[in-house]
């Protein structure tokens, strides 16, 4: 349940803002942006950039 909430928050930050992955990692209390990237990919099956690109494409 906690993992789901973290992923929802990361997705919201990726969708609603142009902040960098590094800034998202800091905001979400990850020690390292690469750890956030691995965590996100493990939970969703997508990289952060692939998810952001997918959402951008949908909004066009």
């Amino acid at each position: 349940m906690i993992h789901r909430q973290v992923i929802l928050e990361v997705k919201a930050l990726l969708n609603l803002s142009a902040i960098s992955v590094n800034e998202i990692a800091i905001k979400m209390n990850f020690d390292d942006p690469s750890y956030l990237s691995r965590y996100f990919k493990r939970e969703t099956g997508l990289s952060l950039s692939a998810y952001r690109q997918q959402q951008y494409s949908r909004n066009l």
Side-chain angles (χ1 to χ4, degrees), residues 40-58:
F40 188 84
K41 185 159 189 163
R42 184 180 68 232
E43 295 294 321
T44 66
L46 293 170
S47 68
L48 292 164
S49 59
Y51 178 81
R52 189 175 258 175
Q53 182 63 38
Q54 181 183 60
Q55 296 307 305
Y56 177 74
S57 296
R58 285 186 183 169

Side-chain angles (χ1 to χ4, degrees), residues 10 13-14 17-38 40 48-49 52:
V10 171
L13 290 169
L14 288 168
S17 64
I19 65 174
S20 70
V21 170
N22 190 42
E23 291 171 305
I24 293 172
I26 292 167
K27 183 173 180 65
M28 297 300 298
N29 296 316
F30 282 85
D31 292 334
D32 188 305
S34 63
Y35 180 69
L36 171 61
S37 296
R38 288 191 307 270
F40 188 84
L48 292 164
S49 59
R52 189 175 258 175

